[in-house]
């Protein structure tokens, strides 16, 4: 794309994620040049690209980037002699480099960058090839730790289709036709339709997600394909699938077998710090707002909903302004016409030091008169210890209503 800046984007990624971010391909004329394969992928005639030899100026331009990439990849190699052999001038085989690239990506220490243009299709073949040849399989990742609902540790899981069922809801969306759609990542076992499952969510009560456990029946399994859902007969360990009409499932929940229920450790997420007070424009919008809010909170564990009883405000705690804009746009897209208003703060005062007061009450208007003397002494308690009232009436009694 004429407005693209690959070098600038790579530099921004390196500034954010470190020196482990390096390109696998460089843009060249009507396509890409592969740094490992040293081949030119020509997209001038569309997708798929024609593969050929790069031009001399491309070879000269890619030399420094290729050396940096190879050194970063083989630094993760199990073969400790590989770096010495490379530095001595030996040509490292392509298969060896790709195997070490996969190891580096699996360890999370190396982040390959592939330029892609969605409008022209440039880079699509390279992304697919990289996923197949250079990205780790689920067998190379350690599954998350799980416990029983009572907190007892569970034996380590493996990406084994025959193992105990352990899956996680990684995303929740609401479709206007099929309702709630839960995208599930299966870590162990096999998820099958027409079977009951146990859905657990624990550890996010402070975010507004109360702990919950429920047995649900999965009627159908789907494979997401763009905006469509294709029905599939099963979903094995390492795969992703979509569930519909599982009412209790929220993002971050664990899906397991009712015979062996499991709970995964909740995600570690930063605390939302930006409050946004929302208000429905009309009374008819209030019901729509309530429905949409429950869907949003179920699908976004970084969002916290606070119904402040003291200020009578509905406050959404967001991660930042961009997050708040997304939340508000989703509320409005769901049919709720909402406005924002300034967040009201409940200010409280307390005594900075000790003090005392004296009061005298005399009233005579016929019949029994009124007379009272009152001494009040105040002093601060340690912060957070609450309020304490001590009655020191001496030599008399105060009527209950006073």
């Amino acid at each position: 794309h004429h407005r693209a800046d690959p070098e600038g984007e790579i530099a921004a990624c390196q500034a954010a994620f470190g020196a482990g971010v390096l390109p696998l391909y460089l843009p060249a004329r009507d396509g890409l040049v592969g740094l490992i394969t040293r081949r030119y992928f020509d997209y001038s005639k569309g997708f798929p690209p024609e593969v050929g030899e790069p031009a001399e100026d491309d070879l000269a331009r890619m030399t420094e980037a290729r050396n940096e990439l190879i050194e970063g990849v083989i630094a993760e190699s199990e073969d400790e002699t590989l770096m010495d052999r490379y530095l001595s001038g030996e040509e490292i085989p392509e298969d060896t480099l790709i195997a070490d690239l996969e190891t580096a990506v699996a360890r999370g220490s190396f982040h390959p960058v592939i330029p892609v243009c969605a409008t022209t299709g440039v880079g699509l073949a390279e992304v697919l090839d990289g996923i197949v040849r250079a990205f780790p399989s689920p067998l190379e990742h350690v599954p998350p730790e799980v416990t029983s609902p009572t907190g007892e540790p569970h034996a380590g899981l493996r990406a084994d289709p025959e193992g105990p069922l352990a899956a996680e809801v990684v995303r929740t969306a609401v479709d206007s036709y099929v309702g709630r759609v839960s995208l599930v990542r299966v870590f162990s076992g096999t998820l099958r339709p027409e079977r009951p499952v146990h859905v657990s969510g624990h550890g996010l009560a402070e975010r507004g997600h109360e702990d919950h456990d429920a047995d649900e029946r999965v009627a159908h399994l789907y494979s997401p394909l763009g905006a469509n859902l294709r029905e599939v007969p099963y979903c094995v360990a390492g795969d992703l699938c979509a569930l519909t009409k599982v009412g209790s499932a929220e993002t971050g929940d664990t899906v397991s077998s009712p015979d062996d229920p499991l709970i995964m450790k909740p995600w570690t997420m930063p605390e939302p710090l930006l409050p946004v007070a929302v208000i429905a424009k009309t009374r008819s919008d209030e019901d729509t707002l309530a429905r949409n809010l429950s869907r949003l909170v179920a699908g976004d564990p970084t969002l916290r909903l606070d119904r402040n009883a003291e200020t009578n405000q509905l406050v959404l705690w967001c991660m930042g302004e961009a997050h708040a804009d997304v939340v508000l746009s989703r509320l409005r897209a769901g049919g709720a016409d909402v406005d924002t208003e300034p967040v009201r703060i409940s200010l409280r005062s307390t005594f900075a030091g000790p003090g005392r007061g004296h009061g005298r009450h005399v009233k005579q208007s016929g019949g029994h008169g009124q007379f009272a003397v009152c001494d009040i002494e105040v002093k601060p308690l340690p912060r957070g210890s609450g309020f304490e009232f001590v009655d020191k009436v001496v030599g008399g009694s105060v009527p209950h209503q006073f």
Side-chain angles (χ1 to χ4, degrees):
H1 196 278
H2 65 279
R3 288 164 51 193
D5 180 17
E7 292 79 9
E9 295 299 333
I10 292 172
C13 292
Q14 289 172 337
F17 302 109
V21 177
L22 290 172
L24 289 182
Y25 298 84
L26 292 180
R29 301 185 306 281
D30 296 316
L32 302 175
V33 173
L35 296 182
I36 290 181
T37 61
R38 285 189 287 205
R39 306 287 283 173
Y40 173 55
F41 300 87
D42 184 3
Y43 281 85
S44 60
K45 297 180 181 178
F47 184 91
E50 296 180 355
V51 182
E53 295 292 331
E56 288 297 326
D57 59 337
D58 290 332
L59 286 173
R61 184 170 61 93
M62 64 186 277
T63 299
E64 182 180 351
R66 185 175 193 272
N67 291 339
E68 190 177 2
L69 172 66
I70 292 177
E71 289 176 15
V73 169
I74 63 179
E76 301 289 337
S77 176
E78 304 289 345
D79 185 352
E80 297 180 358
T81 68
L82 199 59
M83 182 66 78
D84 294 333
R85 288 158 48 195
Y86 170 72
L87 294 176
S88 65
E90 180 179 333
E91 187 69 26
I92 307 300
E94 180 182 319
D95 290 344
T96 302
L97 291 175
I98 292 176
D100 290 336
L101 171 61
E102 182 179 347
T103 301
V105 173
R107 290 176 177 174
S109 59
F110 186 81
H111 311 288
V113 179
I114 301 175
V116 182
C117 180
T119 55
T120 63
V122 172
L124 290 180
E126 288 67 43
V127 167
L128 297 174
D129 185 59
I131 291 173
V132 173
R133 300 180 66 195
F135 288 5
S137 77
L139 298 175
E140 296 175 72
H141 287 283
V142 178
E145 296 181 2
V146 294
T147 63
S148 68
T150 56
E152 299 168 358
H154 192 278
L157 299 177
R158 294 184 301 111
D160 180 6
E162 302 300 325
L165 178 62
E168 186 174 33
V169 180
V170 296
R171 186 174 184 271
T172 305
V174 177
D175 186 273
S176 55
Y177 296 102
V178 299
R180 183 178 296 189
V181 179
S182 302
L183 187 64
V184 172
R185 160 76 149 88
V186 181
F187 288 96
S188 172
T190 301
L191 193 58
R192 300 182 185 277
E194 303 297 339
R195 303 280 180 87
V197 295
H198 184 79
V199 180
S200 294
H202 289 245
L204 291 174
E206 72 280 358
R207 297 291 180 100
H209 302 259
E210 296 298 329
D211 292 352
H212 53 276
D213 291 272
D215 287 343
E216 302 248 11
R217 179 176 169 274
V218 176
H220 302 280
L221 297 180
Y222 301 92
S223 175
L225 182 64
N228 300 317
L229 296 176
R230 294 182 304 173
E231 190 165 357
V232 293
Y234 52 80
C235 184
V236 299
D239 205 354
L240 289 161
C241 66
L243 311 180
T244 60
K245 300 177 182 177
V246 181
S248 64
E250 298 182 355
T251 301
D253 283 3
T254 305
V255 178
S256 56
S257 169
D259 301 327
D260 186 16
L262 302 173
I263 296 177
M264 293 183 187
K265 184 179 179 181
W267 299 348
T268 301
M269 292 167 293
E271 187 70 20
L273 298 176
L274 177 65
V276 177
V278 295
I279 182 172
K281 284 189 174 181
T282 65
R283 183 169 294 277
S284 62
D285 291 318
E286 292 180 358
D287 293 338
T288 308
L289 176 61
R291 287 196 305 271
N292 286 357
L293 281 175
S294 64
R295 295 170 179 173
L296 276 178
V297 173
D300 188 354
T302 63
L303 180 68
R304 180 160 60 88
L305 176 62
D306 180 16
R307 291 182 172 87
N308 194 316
E310 295 180 343
T311 62
N312 292 320
Q313 282 191 311
L314 196 60
V315 180
L316 299 173
W317 289 85
C318 306
M319 302 299 297
E321 291 185 4
H323 187 203
D325 290 341
V326 170
V327 169
L328 291 173
S329 65
R330 288 179 177 172
L331 285 176
R332 289 164 180 152
D337 198 359
V338 296
D339 277 334
T340 60
E341 61 179 359
V343 177
R344 294 192 288 273
I345 307 299
S346 300
L347 295 177
R348 291 179 172 81
S349 300
T350 187
F351 300 108
R356 52 178 72 235
H358 174 81
R360 189 168 180 271
H361 172 73
V362 179
K363 185 177 183 181
Q364 184 70 46
S365 58
H368 294 290
Q370 295 177 346
F371 177 80
V373 175
C374 180
D375 287 287
I376 296 179
E377 181 178 340
V378 297
K379 60 182 178 180
L381 290 173
R383 182 176 292 274
S385 58
F387 174 80
E388 181 182 351
F389 176 78
V390 180
D391 183 359
K392 289 188 176 180
V393 175
V394 178
S397 64
V398 177
H400 180 70
Q401 64 267 32
F402 300 116

